[in-house]
Amino acid sequence: MLLASPVTSSSSHRVLFSSYRSFRNLRLPSVSGNMQAHAFARNPLRANTHDAVDSSSLNSAVSALRSALSCSNQDALRDFKVLFFKKGKPLARSDLGTFEDACPLWRIGWRSMSDCKILMGRSEIQLIEDRLVYLGKKGGVIYWAMDVTDAENSSFEPAQRDRSAYVELRTLMVATDWADADAMGELAVAGHAKALLEWHNTSRFCGHCGTRNRPIDAGRRKQCSNELCKKRVYPRVDPVVIMLVIDKENDRVLLSRQSRYVPRMWSCLAGFLEPGESLEEAVRRETFEETGIEVGDVIYHSSQPWPVGPSSMPCQLMVGFFAYANSLEIQVDKEELEDARWHSREDVKKALTFAEYKKAQMSTAVKVSHMCMGVEKGQVSSTDFNIESGELAPMFVPGPYAIAHHLISHWANHGAFGIADLPRRHSCGTPNL
């Protein structure tokens, strides 16, 4: 199945086979240098809000919000921060970097509840609790997100003096220093907020009776407003399998190209789950449908939230696997892929060596800084994802913000578990019925 957006980012992940003595201390080594987590994972607001979906906690957040909305006490309003989104873009601000080369950093453009009230008053839009979505709590401060796309005047347009701008989340993803835990946390918060707001935009009406849904539980749930229906709706997650297919000798991997990729970029196969299908079954089906390759053993690697797909799929969850091929002959489905080929470990290592991901990250960070200062408008083009110098490798793979990168780099640098070394119970094979 053709994915609507390229797959992205990841980090160190450990796998423990505790049921088998010989595998008790076996772990996947770190494949990301200093990277602490997958992009969009380890949201610090969720980590510090253990009861984020507990009804009493959500009711408490709503009660505090109602008090703030009716309060004019500036001291009381300081305990609230709001992140604006416009046309799916979060408000970001630019800070000077702390590196020797003064690489700029971006941060979330939080606004105070006091600012929010003033801006909403100027835009003649009523500030009510249904417009706000609860993100979490940290250090006594409650964080919310709000979509201001319908504010047609300039009230919510950031001023240059604020060094802020609405920036595509995908651009912020590339601009984020993956070795900076704080920056990765900011990205995760922005991703979580976008996923919730996009879900609100795509679930306006009840799928059962057609009546308008209304937000409940601080915007973390919705409920049909028809008293005879009152069906609840929960945030949507779309699971996607992404797999690095490996030959039996563990010497080559199967990588593919789609027509929308930039020249010379290759990545893993991926596709959505079908109803009633297991993750392992989806890996085998997608691989066979797209390339004609039959897969046997399927080994879990890691997973990654992916909120930068199309608005119709507010948050994909990329579930990564190593998959071992039982056949080698490729038959490409041209409706899904442009090409698919086996690549040697040497070629993959060369691709990882010559692709200057750090340079691409720094270049994109500068672009974000320019946007926040009003120097440059527009989005980062796809060519900014491929910055190379010197000798050009015949191929390159997605950057460290992508789970595909970490599947590929882990195999290239550390190898993968051989079929003979794996207990069959953990190889996710098809049982004999």
Side-chain angles (χ1 to χ4, degrees):
M1 184 180 297
L2 183 63
L3 283 177
S5 58
V7 194
T8 86
S9 188
S10 123
S11 127
S12 59
H13 179 77
R14 296 182 175 182
V15 176
L16 179 62
F17 297 106
S18 57
S19 1
Y20 290 85
R21 179 177 303 174
S22 60
F23 289 90
R24 188 166 295 161
N25 297 316
L26 182 60
R27 292 176 174 85
L28 291 175
S30 171
V31 297
S32 343
N34 294 323
M35 182 188 251
Q36 300 300 311
H38 283 295
F40 303 115
R42 295 193 186 177
N43 181 336
L45 297 184
R46 294 178 64 89
N48 287 277
T49 311
H50 300 293
D51 55 352
V53 295
D54 178 74
S55 59
S56 61
S57 176
L58 296 175
N59 290 337
S60 175
V62 171
S63 178
L65 176 63
R66 289 172 180 170
S67 298
L69 294 178
S70 60
C71 175
S72 58
N73 186 328
Q74 296 299 313
D75 290 335
L77 297 179
R78 291 173 183 169
D79 293 337
F80 296 84
K81 297 292 183 183
V82 181
L83 175 59
F84 297 150
F85 275 75
K86 204 162 196 177
K87 297 181 179 179
K89 302 176 185 178
L91 184 64
R93 60 181 176 84
S94 178
D95 287 343
L96 293 177
T98 58
F99 306 110
E100 293 181 359
D101 55 4
C103 177
L105 305 174
W106 73 270
R107 289 293 183 259
I108 289 176
W110 296 111
R111 302 302 296 263
S112 68
M113 183 62 74
S114 178
D115 288 344
C116 191
K117 283 186 169 185
I118 293 172
L119 294 173
M120 292 296 281
R122 291 175 183 172
S123 67
E124 299 181 353
I125 297 177
Q126 186 179 7
L127 180 57
I128 57 177
E129 64 179 82
D130 284 358
R131 295 189 66 95
L132 293 141
V133 174
Y134 177 59
L135 300 179
K137 184 188 300 183
K138 184 178 182 182
V141 179
I142 305 177
Y143 295 87
W144 301 82
M146 182 170 66
D147 192 331
V148 296
T149 302
D150 57 349
E152 297 181 354
N153 60 21
S154 60
S155 298
F156 288 91
E157 290 300 323
Q160 289 187 16
R161 65 177 180 275
D162 296 332
R163 295 176 61 89
S164 59
Y166 294 103
V167 183
E168 289 282 358
L169 187 59
R170 186 183 294 271
T171 301
L172 295 177
M173 174 189 73
V174 181
T176 301
D177 180 1
W178 52 86
D180 184 334
D182 290 337
M184 293 289 283
E186 299 261 303
L187 183 67
V189 170
H192 178 214
K194 180 179 180 182
L196 286 175
L197 290 175
E198 293 287 357
W199 168 69
H200 274 278
N201 288 333
T202 58
S203 59
R204 296 176 184 270
F205 300 95
C206 175
H208 182 71
C209 72
T211 305
R212 181 173 289 274
N213 288 323
R214 62 181 182 86
I216 60 173
D217 295 340
R220 305 296 286 271
R221 308 282 187 270
K222 300 188 86 168
Q223 188 172 43
C224 178
S225 58
N226 181 351
E227 289 296 323
L228 298 177
C229 181
K230 300 186 71 172
K231 286 191 176 293
R232 288 198 171 195
V233 184
Y234 296 86
R236 172 174 171 172
V237 177
D238 297 282
V240 178
V241 291
I242 175 168
M243 46 280 187
L244 182 66
V245 180
I246 307 168
D247 69 0
K248 286 185 177 181
E249 286 71 33
N250 203 10
D251 292 329
R252 296 183 299 168
V253 291
L254 181 67
L255 300 178
S256 65
R257 275 191 51 78
Q258 295 183 15
S259 58
R260 58 184 172 78
Y261 287 0
V262 296
R264 297 183 297 109
M265 187 176 112
W266 295 76
S267 189
C268 300
L269 298 172
F272 293 98
L273 266 72
E274 297 287 350
E277 185 176 50
S278 73
L279 293 167
E280 296 80 19
E281 289 169 334
V283 168
R284 296 189 182 95
R285 175 185 55 78
E286 285 287 348
T287 302
F288 185 77
E289 288 179 354
E290 295 185 353
T291 66
I293 298 294
E294 294 183 356
V295 165
D297 295 276
V298 177
I299 312 300
Y300 173 77
H301 178 270
S302 60
S303 62
Q304 176 192 21
W306 186 239
V308 291
S311 60
S312 60
M313 290 172 283
C315 189
Q316 298 170 19
L317 176 66
M318 311 302 299
V319 188
F321 294 91
F322 292 128
Y324 288 90
N326 287 337
S327 62
L328 297 175
E329 185 178 351
I330 301 172
Q331 297 177 352
V332 178
D333 180 353
K334 291 296 185 178
E335 293 186 3
E336 297 283 345
L337 302 175
E338 181 180 280
D339 198 3
R341 299 179 187 176
W342 291 104
H343 295 266
S344 69
R345 193 184 305 273
E346 180 182 354
D347 288 342
V348 172
K349 283 187 174 182
K350 185 176 181 180
L352 291 166
T353 300
F354 285 98
E356 298 182 349
Y357 300 115
K358 185 63 179 178
K359 185 175 179 180
Q361 180 262 315
M362 294 175 67
S363 174
T364 310
V366 171
K367 286 180 177 287
V368 171
S369 179
H370 287 172
M371 293 170 66
C372 291
M373 292 187 294
V375 175
E376 179 178 333
K377 300 296 182 182
Q379 302 177 11
V380 177
S381 67
S382 60
T383 56
D384 292 312
F385 293 82
N386 175 27
I387 296 184
E388 302 169 300
S389 64
E391 180 184 353
L392 293 180
M395 60 173 288
F396 73 99
V397 300
Y401 42 80
I403 188 173
H405 175 94
H406 297 283
L407 287 167
I408 295 169
S409 63
H410 176 263
W411 174 81
N413 296 313
H414 302 286
F417 301 121
I419 297 176
D421 299 326
L422 283 169
R424 285 296 166 185
R425 281 180 55 190
H426 292 285
S427 65
C428 305
T430 303
N432 295 319
L433 298 179

